[in-house]
Amino acid sequence: MTQPRIVRTLPALHRAVARWRATRQTTALVPTMGALHQGHLALVRLARRRARKVIVSIFVNPAQFAPSEDLASYPRNLAGDLAALAGSGADLAWVPATETMYPPGFATRIVPGGPASVGLEDKFRPHFFAGVATVVAKLFLQCRPDAAIFGEKDYQQLKVVTALANDLALGVTIVGAPVVREPDGLAMSSRNAYLSAQERAVAPTLHQVLADCAHKIAHGAELAGVIEQGRAAIGRAGFVLDYLEARNAETLLPLASALDRPIRLLVAARLGRTRLIDNVAV
Ligand code: AMP
């Protein structure tokens, strides 16, 4: 099976990217934080269809974690990630050290607005999208991809990155990929590894409630009541809810009227020490 080349320094990355550009080979980038699962590999397959060469970046970005969050315990398994990427279609694994991304004196931050300030993830993780926007802009400038693939699993992030690429005219086409789920509906996530056996049994409730709410809304049920019932069901299952909201699927703003479409349902909830997010289209 073909192994992607592992690159850890900027000069080596720039040489590889320059060679591809010189021979007019298109590239697609799949940014990840590692602990790769089938959701990530689906992004790599999509990247493969969009471009001649595929770069997968693996970088646990400290800038998107608050001091109280799980940066130290975030699952890291580079050997497992490289094994997962063997034969996946990835040509290059970009694995920078933290000092390569944030050398001493690093002092620049991109602070996104629009979909990054709508009262969803941004309300509960106020540091998050500036950290994401800064590292993603940096990855784009380092890798100079024609396209970059992001999962709908992080739906708000997909919208923030799309706005970032457009607003700064970064020359990268942002492609969204559907959520990959376990057979019981739980959205795949590196953080699922934190769940105890008991919590793992409860976790699919989040998607069941979302699917149930979407079904009811699509069949004409009154929206506020459906969302209220959904919030209660998530609480009853044992989660501590951050939010369950129905939003305009494009702007992520609250629905302006009963005719405001398309609708996306977005949820974040904590189960023990694990914070899970998910979303569905109505
Ligand atoms: P992460 O490593 O969690 O930062 O995720 C890297 C990329 O993979 C992001 O674009 C995520 O949205 C995407 N991703 C993570 N989990 C899934 C999933 N279950 N289905 C689709 N995309 C995913």
Side-chain angles (χ1 to χ4, degrees), residues 2-3 10 18 27-30 34-35 92-94 135 146 157 163 180 182 189 206-207 240 247 250 257-258:
T2 46
Q3 289 277 354
L10 271 173
T27 56
L29 172 68
V30 180
L92 189 155
W94 170 224
V135 83
D146 299 281
Q157 171 176 280
V180 177
E182 301 286 357
S189 165
L206 211 52
H207 176 248
V240 177
R247 293 295 178 95
E250 285 311 313
S257 75

Side-chain angles (χ1 to χ4, degrees), residues 31-33 37 39-40 43 74 150-151 153-154 157 178-180 188:
T32 81
M33 299 206 299
H37 50 64
H40 297 113
L43 267 53
Y74 194 84
F150 289 83
K153 162 75 178 16
D154 301 273
Q157 171 176 280
V179 183
V180 177
M188 289 191 183

Side-chain angles (χ1 to χ4, degrees), residues 53-242:
K53 295 288 180 186
V54 174
I55 303 176
V56 176
S57 63
I58 299 176
F59 180 63
V60 182
N61 175 33
Q64 68 193 65
F65 290 78
S68 60
E69 293 181 350
D70 57 342
L71 174 63
S73 59
Y74 194 84
R76 291 167 172 84
N77 177 11
L78 185 58
D81 291 344
L82 296 175
L85 288 177
S88 70
D91 297 282
L92 189 155
W94 170 224
V95 190
T98 304
E99 309 77 63
T100 302
M101 295 303 274
Y102 301 110
F106 186 93
T108 301
R109 218 158 63 106
I110 294 177
V111 182
S117 68
V118 294
L120 296 171
E121 284 301 287
D122 50 296
K123 179 169 163 196
F124 293 88
R125 306 186 70 193
H127 55 281
F128 179 68
F129 285 118
V132 168
T134 304
V135 83
V136 165
K138 210 165 161 151
L139 288 168
F140 286 179
L141 294 167
Q142 292 168 337
C143 300
R144 301 183 65 195
D146 299 281
I149 323 295
F150 289 83
E152 288 185 349
K153 162 75 178 16
D154 301 273
Y155 192 81
Q156 191 180 2
Q157 171 176 280
L158 170 62
K159 296 296 173 192
V160 170
V161 169
T162 302
L164 170 78
N166 290 337
D167 292 351
L168 300 186
L170 294 175
V172 182
T173 302
I174 306 301
V175 180
V179 183
V180 177
R181 300 181 178 282
E182 301 286 357
D184 61 13
L186 176 64
M188 289 191 183
S189 165
S190 306
R191 289 189 167 98
N192 291 349
Y194 298 153
L195 297 169
S196 69
Q198 204 180 348
E199 289 164 348
R200 176 62 187 81
V202 171
T205 309
L206 211 52
H207 176 248
Q208 283 155 18
V209 170
L210 280 181
D212 186 44
C213 289
H215 181 81
K216 287 178 178 152
I217 294 166
H219 288 80
E222 190 255 333
L223 193 125
V226 171
I227 295 295
E228 220 24 79
Q229 286 165 21
R231 288 175 181 149
I234 289 167
R236 273 198 309 277
F239 291 87
V240 177
L241 186 68
D242 279 352

